[in-house]
Amino acid sequence: RNPCRSPLTSRRWSHVTHSTAPKQGTSHVMHVHRVPYGLLLFVSVAPHAVSAQARCPSLGADALEYTKHPTPVLEAGRDAWEAGGVLHVAVCQVEGVFYMYYTAIAKPGYGYRSIGCATSQDGINWRKKPGPVLSRGPAGEFDDVHLHMPSVLYDDASQKFRMWYAGYQNDRGNTIGYAESADGLTWEKKGQVLSFGAPNTFDSGSLREPTVIYDARNKLYKLWYVGTMPGQHYGPTGYAISEDGIHWGRVTAINGDQERFIGIHVVRIDECYHGWYGTGPKIGYAHSVDGLRWEWPDPEIVIGPGDTFDSRYVQAPVVIVDQTAGKVRVWFNGAEGAEETLSVGYAEASLE
């Protein structure tokens, strides 16, 4: 299965000096009991200091220098379904073509959200496809208000695009849905695949911002998502596993620090997991040997707000580690002004 991200072999990284202050954190250990997919996993979690430097070469600002493109690479369109802004993207690279799936906000009126598609040869210059490729469901469905925040993989075995997304209902919250496509443009919804947690648990109110990878070593799909209780806006990162990407075994929250991992995007390279995430107004980076215990390099921040389209904040990074081009590619939300004009920015770091 092609994870829509180019693999990268282990190598030594050149170091770049930065002046950003370090941020200290505590990782968590999780003891997972393996069960068949679709069942709840019972685990124990305890604080634990983790040092993974020997096994995980950093892709953070301690090792690479990230440079932002000066202007947005995707902006709101004129059509009503996307006139309110674009944000929360997923990016795949399939047979040399980049596919971007982006959340679009409708305007005027209520800001319903749907998902559009754009393609590119270089990851910077994008051509939008007309209209949304996935729209909110009928009244009463789990995605009848918003269908947004996609995570997309391309499955070489079935030759299908696979999408996980957040579906929102008023007075209920977000849960995770799933859809498939043969060509990346015509999609078929398969329904809700992960719903609310049990009462009083960390994700009993909402699950959103999914990121999914396929781990070929143990033949498991792995899902990270933002979980919240009713009334919360941000909460811990949840983790779940699946044998087919549809029937999920919920694990637990892996990090309770709300100042970190706001919408983490995970890439696995060799024996290491690399994560880019929002920290409020900035984007940070961490790495892990198992996807559960994370270490933050010094400095933690890789991308901060700028002076133009992203002057208010940057968030929701999506990353491809492109070995062929020799660079880390990052797409992210940029917000400007009191009304938060939303567009998609781009940054990259050389691996050389």
Side-chain angles (χ1 to χ4, degrees):
R1 292 174 175 83
N2 182 344
C4 292
R5 305 176 186 98
S6 299
L8 182 71
T9 55
S10 297
R11 59 191 298 173
R12 294 183 180 272
W13 310 109
S14 59
H15 286 253
V16 179
T17 302
H18 295 263
S19 60
T20 307
K23 188 172 184 179
Q24 301 299 321
T26 302
S27 299
H28 289 68
V29 171
M30 180 173 298
H31 306 286
V32 180
H33 303 277
R34 182 73 178 275
V35 296
Y37 65 76
L39 300 180
L40 178 66
L41 304 185
F42 295 93
V43 300
S44 59
V45 182
H48 184 70
V50 177
S51 179
Q53 287 285 2
R55 295 175 60 185
C56 288
S58 176
L59 297 179
D62 60 323
L64 306 178
E65 185 170 14
Y66 287 76
T67 303
K68 284 195 293 186
H69 192 70
T71 59
V73 297
L74 198 76
E75 298 181 271
R78 295 181 178 179
D79 293 337
W81 69 277
E82 62 168 355
V86 293
L87 71 164
H88 287 294
V89 307
V91 181
C92 281
Q93 187 178 18
V94 181
E95 295 182 353
V97 177
F98 292 95
Y99 292 78
M100 177 185 288
Y101 298 93
Y102 61 93
T103 299
I105 304 175
K107 186 180 180 180
Y110 190 89
Y112 294 109
R113 296 185 178 191
S114 54
I115 293 176
C117 179
T119 58
S120 172
Q121 297 296 320
D122 60 7
I124 298 173
N125 299 286
W126 294 89
R127 181 183 296 274
K128 291 180 179 179
K129 303 300 181 181
V133 295
L134 270 176
S135 299
R136 62 193 181 95
E141 288 294 321
F142 74 98
D143 57 359
D144 65 359
V145 175
H146 298 321
L147 190 157
H148 59 157
M149 301 177 174
S151 177
V152 180
L153 305 181
Y154 182 77
D155 187 334
D156 283 325
S158 63
Q159 295 187 330
K160 289 183 179 179
F161 292 80
R162 311 187 70 180
M163 179 188 295
W164 296 263
Y165 61 89
Y168 179 79
Q169 281 185 298
N170 280 335
D171 302 320
R172 298 210 58 190
N174 288 286
T175 54
I176 306 300
Y178 172 70
E180 293 181 349
S181 173
D183 62 3
L185 301 176
T186 303
W187 289 83
E188 180 182 0
K189 292 183 183 180
K190 298 295 185 178
Q192 184 186 69
V193 294
L194 193 62
S195 189
F196 305 107
N200 300 316
T201 57
F202 78 97
D203 60 355
S204 57
S206 188
L207 301 80
R208 69 180 195 273
E209 299 189 56
T211 178
V212 179
I213 68 170
Y214 181 72
D215 188 339
R217 285 197 319 170
N218 49 28
K219 299 181 180 179
L220 285 175
Y221 290 87
K222 298 182 177 182
L223 163 67
W224 292 260
Y225 61 93
V226 175
T228 59
M229 299 180 71
Q232 285 185 316
H233 187 62
Y234 293 118
T237 296
Y239 176 70
I241 61 174
S242 171
E243 292 181 351
D244 61 4
I246 299 173
H247 303 88
W248 291 92
R250 179 183 270 102
V251 180
T252 189
I254 65 169
N255 192 293
D257 184 348
Q258 295 187 27
E259 294 181 359
R260 301 191 185 197
F261 288 6
I262 301 174
I264 189 169
H265 181 86
V266 179
V267 176
R268 179 167 180 170
I269 303 169
D270 297 330
E271 302 299 317
C272 296
Y273 296 83
H274 301 266
W276 292 259
Y277 50 89
T279 63
K282 303 176 182 179
I283 291 172
Y285 164 83
H287 51 72
S288 169
V289 294
D290 57 10
L292 304 175
R293 301 168 294 174
W294 293 86
E295 181 173 279
W296 290 268
D298 173 14
E300 175 186 358
I301 302 303
V302 295
I303 301 171
D307 298 324
T308 55
F309 73 96
D310 58 354
S311 59
R312 188 175 178 90
Y313 61 76
V314 293
Q315 64 173 203
V318 171
V319 178
I320 290 178
V321 180
D322 190 337
Q323 183 183 20
T324 301
K327 61 182 66 175
V328 177
R329 301 178 181 269
V330 187
W331 296 265
F332 57 89
N333 298 353
E336 178 183 16
E339 296 185 0
E340 295 191 5
T341 302
L342 294 163
S343 56
V344 178
Y346 174 77
E348 61 183 42
S350 174
L351 294 172
E352 300 301 324

